[in-house]
Amino acid sequence: MGTATARNGSTATAWRNWAGNVTATPTRVVTPATVGELQEAVRRAAEDGLRVKAVGTGHSFTAAAATDGVLVRPQALTGIRSVDRAAGTVTVAAGTALKDLNRALAAEGLSLTNMGDIMEQTVSGATSTGTHGTGRDSASIAAQIRALELVTADGELLTCSEKENPEVFAAARVGIGALGIVTAITFAVEPLFFLTAREEPMGFDRVTAEFEEHFAENEHFEFYWFPHTGNCNTKRNNRSQGPAAPPGPVSAWVEDELLSNGLFQAVNTLGRAVPATIPSIARVASRALSARTYTDIPYKVFTSPRRVRFVEMEYALPREAVVEALRELRAMVDRSGLRISFPVEVRTAPADDIALSTASGRDTAYIAVHMYKGTPYQAYFTAAEHIFTAHGGRPHWGKVHTRDAEYFSRIYPRFGEFTALRDRLDPDRVFGNDYLRRVLGA
């Protein structure tokens, strides 16, 4: 779509997210080549009585980006705008994929401090939904934002930071698309560094008993528990002096391609067809991964390819509650007839100061549950969600959950601050959709 399309829009076919569990049929799709074209598209949509949503790579499992109005694709709004080495910041256009940002920063000898485990998302999509990795001291990608620009419902361009429009900055870093369309983000960056990763199998009872110890001793600690087994795989990432010592090509192929993608795809397909095989498969799969240690630049350690498609629910819990909740989850799976072929992921984050961040105001640990694409997930997710909400859990904004505004008003102390700002910036709900109506209220 060229400039004319961005200006005039095109009749759209159905849009589908990465997991295939959300579809939408917008009235028109626009692909603005400039911020000015985006502003014009928002103004025109408002004049036509249409709602507007921006969509990145579709990696959210919720309908946060779905619309029957104007769907904005920001693929043309990409690239690094500027690097300020003295300030330790980089400004990047909102449609830039994290993988492209990571590679461009590395070429400049720079890096984000922390990141999630995949990098397919756009920077605006990842931050707007609160995407995170794991860290004792370093927080989500959104917490690394130092300034951002967004187009508001009246088509104006608003810049915000701790000094400029600070009340918007406090909310818009995790804005769920409710406050405007982000056009550029300024991230804090630092000189490129090395991480040494230590991956090691460990029993469920040991890793849960020693969880706080592992958390305290490592900059980045996470682990995966394989349901129907007592087996986990742990990963500890810590800074090192280098030099780079990545996994050998054979080891990397076996661990990252064969086991994590190729064989995993095959066994999940078998498990979907014959659920009774899943516990046996899980016992074999959980023992297939071996201990390994490697060193590389951050994005090559934090992230890995994820080609097996799935649906996911993730809840943020007070860190002190995560072990108990995980033990409850295991007991629930053991006494149920559920057959779970995907491992359960546990990560952490320090408290941050973003109004609707899942780590807002409290030290946090995350439990993520997954099901293979095409497998019924409702029974598992419903039972897991019951456990998580009993511990005051906050669901990831881009992952499956059933919570609503009434629930969020109780678990987010600053929920009213966010909704009041939304009323001011978008009183007519130009950026509204069914998902936002549910989670933020009318």
Side-chain angles (χ1 to χ4, degrees):
M1 301 178 188
T3 301
T5 305
R7 196 166 287 123
N8 300 318
S10 66
T11 302
T13 55
W15 169 83
R16 184 180 300 272
N17 69 340
W18 178 82
N21 67 312
V22 177
T23 59
T25 305
T27 300
R28 60 177 181 253
V29 174
V30 296
T31 309
T34 66
V35 173
E37 288 184 5
L38 173 58
Q39 292 175 274
E40 183 183 341
V42 171
R43 292 190 192 104
R44 185 181 166 210
E47 290 169 1
D48 294 345
L50 296 173
R51 296 182 295 183
V52 185
K53 298 304 296 181
V55 61
T57 55
H59 270 265
S60 287
F61 302 93
T62 65
T67 187
D68 57 4
V70 178
L71 192 72
V72 175
R73 292 190 172 276
Q75 292 100 320
L77 301 176
T78 61
I80 291 179
R81 286 192 185 179
S82 63
V83 176
D84 187 335
R85 293 181 184 273
T89 61
V90 59
T91 300
V92 59
T96 306
L98 282 167
K99 60 185 177 184
D100 296 328
L101 173 61
N102 287 335
R103 291 167 185 154
L105 287 176
E108 295 280 346
L110 300 169
S111 177
L112 294 171
T113 298
N114 198 356
M115 59 193 78
D117 57 8
I118 63 170
M119 55 178 185
E120 300 301 316
Q121 314 100 308
T122 61
V123 294
S124 55
T127 55
S128 293
T129 54
T131 296
H132 61 90
T134 190
R136 180 189 61 203
D137 310 305
S138 53
S140 70
I141 304 175
Q144 298 168 68
I145 294 176
R146 295 296 172 264
L148 59 82
E149 291 178 1
L150 73 162
V151 173
T152 57
D154 57 6
E156 296 303 307
L157 187 65
L158 190 68
T159 302
C160 54
S161 66
E162 287 184 347
K163 296 181 178 178
E164 190 174 4
N165 296 304
E167 76 289 352
V168 180
F169 183 69
R173 284 171 286 170
V174 179
I176 337 172
L179 305 178
I181 296 179
V182 176
T183 56
I185 298 173
T186 298
F187 290 105
V189 292
E190 60 176 300
L192 196 64
F193 55 94
F194 287 109
L195 285 172
T196 293
R198 170 67 178 170
E199 297 177 2
E200 180 184 6
M202 192 176 293
F204 180 93
D205 292 336
R206 179 185 167 191
V207 75
T208 51
E210 298 176 355
F211 175 73
E212 280 297 320
E213 180 181 326
H214 292 305
F215 167 79
E217 291 177 351
N218 296 282
E219 293 174 74
H220 309 275
F221 176 69
E222 63 185 305
F223 69 94
Y224 301 83
W225 164 59
F226 294 83
H228 313 296
T229 80
N231 303 325
C232 298
N233 199 48
T234 64
K235 184 175 182 181
R236 287 166 276 196
N237 299 331
N238 291 286
R239 294 191 184 215
S240 72
Q241 294 301 308
V250 174
S251 169
W253 182 82
V254 169
E255 296 279 342
D256 299 327
E257 289 302 327
L258 176 62
L259 295 179
S260 297
N261 287 297
L263 185 60
F264 195 50
Q265 175 80 50
V267 299
N268 272 279
T269 302
L270 173 61
R272 183 173 64 188
V274 190
T277 63
I278 287 175
S280 298
I281 291 171
R283 285 189 288 272
V284 174
S286 65
R287 291 194 293 264
L289 297 170
S290 57
R292 62 173 179 166
T293 301
Y294 53 95
T295 300
D296 217 325
I297 59 175
Y299 82 83
K300 294 184 178 181
V301 174
F302 283 129
T303 70
S304 54
R306 290 281 184 269
R307 283 184 274 279
V308 181
R309 302 207 178 201
F310 54 85
V311 178
E312 180 178 359
M313 167 185 283
E314 181 181 64
Y315 264 76
L317 309 178
R319 199 182 76 235
E320 63 272 14
V322 72
V323 168
E324 181 183 349
L326 189 64
R327 289 170 175 158
E328 291 173 10
L329 183 69
R330 182 183 182 185
M332 179 275 291
V333 170
D334 286 348
R335 68 174 178 265
S336 74
L338 296 169
R339 294 293 177 260
I340 313 302
S341 62
F342 254 82
V344 173
E345 184 178 23
V346 179
R347 296 178 288 176
T348 68
D352 64 40
D353 64 348
I354 305 169
L356 292 190
S357 164
T358 48
S360 182
R362 73 185 189 192
D363 290 340
T364 294
Y366 298 90
I367 302 179
V369 297
H370 313 69
M371 286 290 271
Y372 183 48
K373 179 184 175 183
T375 304
Y377 61 83
Q378 287 82 358
Y380 178 36
F381 284 12
T382 297
E385 190 172 42
H386 181 74
I387 293 169
F388 302 152
T389 55
H391 290 281
R394 299 167 176 171
H396 188 300
W397 295 108
K399 299 178 184 179
V400 174
H401 67 89
T402 66
R403 300 299 90 186
D404 59 16
E406 190 278 328
Y407 179 82
F408 292 122
S409 69
R410 289 188 282 112
I411 62 163
Y412 279 103
R414 298 171 66 182
F415 185 78
E417 172 188 331
F418 187 97
T419 55
L421 180 65
R422 183 191 187 206
D423 288 342
R424 177 163 72 82
L425 292 180
D426 187 14
D428 297 325
R429 303 297 187 255
V430 172
F431 302 115
N433 63 5
D434 291 344
Y435 178 73
L436 292 179
R437 185 180 301 109
R438 171 162 69 87
V439 301
L440 298 178

